[in-house]
Amino acid sequence: QVQLVESGGRLVQAGGSLRLSCAASGRTVSSYTMAWFRQAAGKEREFVVAIIRSDVITNTADPVKGRFIISRDNAKNTVYLQMNSLKPEDTAVYYCAAATTAQLHTIPAGYTYWGQGTQVTVSS
């Protein structure tokens, strides 16, 4: 089993930056595909970005392309989401997810393990 714990979410002004962290435990996730999803109030969970085990292949959703970057520190068993130029529409609960398959899934069903989420609120 893999446990994922997100942190770093908070209230930030539009145009600001945040870095979210996802610490994994239970197993080493260096070979896993890792992803971030988000869910705004009243909306379905949506894909944000994913990184395949090789670290050189990522997939980023269009609404955040050029602003959000995913990275991983295998020594710390941690994945990060650097969010820049934040907009009010980025407000959501952000979830970290892990999959054992080497595919850049963009739907929640593609991921086996999930964290509890961290709230990001962007004020205008």
Side-chain angles (χ1 to χ4, degrees), residues 2 8 16 26 36 38 49 51 59-60 63 79 86-87 103 107 109-110:
V2 174
W36 289 93
R38 67 185 182 184
V49 63
I51 185 167
N59 186 13
T60 307
V79 176
L86 283 161
K87 304 175 181 180
Q103 292 181 341
I107 59 174

Side-chain angles (χ1 to χ4, degrees), residues 3 12 21 24 28 30 33 36 40 45-47 53 66 75 82 85 87 89 97 99 106 122:
Q3 292 79 44
V12 63
S21 300
T28 300
S30 59
T33 296
W36 289 93
R45 192 166 299 189
E46 67 172 358
F47 171 77
R53 60 182 69 179
Q82 179 66 44
S85 301
K87 304 175 181 180
E89 52 262 43
T106 59
V122 184

Side-chain angles (χ1 to χ4, degrees), residues 1 3 29 46 73 76 79 82 98 102 111:
Q1 291 291 327
Q3 292 79 44
V29 297
E46 67 172 358
D73 185 336
K76 295 183 178 179
V79 176
Q82 179 66 44
Y111 295 86

Side-chain angles (χ1 to χ4, degrees), residues 93-106:
V93 177
Y94 283 72
Y95 296 91
C96 176
T100 58
T101 56
Q103 292 181 341
L104 292 169
H105 299 288
T106 59

Side-chain angles (χ1 to χ4, degrees), residues 12-102:
V12 63
Q13 287 189 335
S17 298
L18 275 180
R19 189 178 80 158
L20 305 183
S21 300
C22 172
S25 61
R27 290 184 181 178
T28 300
V29 297
S30 59
S31 63
Y32 287 32
T33 296
M34 303 297 294
W36 289 93
F37 284 75
R38 67 185 182 184
Q39 188 167 16
K43 296 186 177 181
E44 294 187 350
R45 192 166 299 189
E46 67 172 358
F47 171 77
V48 176
V49 63
I51 185 167
I52 206 166
R53 60 182 69 179
S54 67
D55 293 357
V56 298
I57 301 175
T58 62
N59 186 13
T60 307
D62 287 343
V64 303
K65 195 165 292 184
R67 300 188 296 121
F68 289 14
I69 302 171
I70 188 171
S71 63
R72 64 199 306 168
D73 185 336
N74 291 332
K76 295 183 178 179
N77 218 26
T78 299
V79 176
Y80 302 99
L81 179 63
Q82 179 66 44
M83 305 187 294
N84 301 318
S85 301
L86 283 161
K87 304 175 181 180
E89 52 262 43
D90 295 320
T91 294
V93 177
Y94 283 72
Y95 296 91
C96 176
T100 58
T101 56

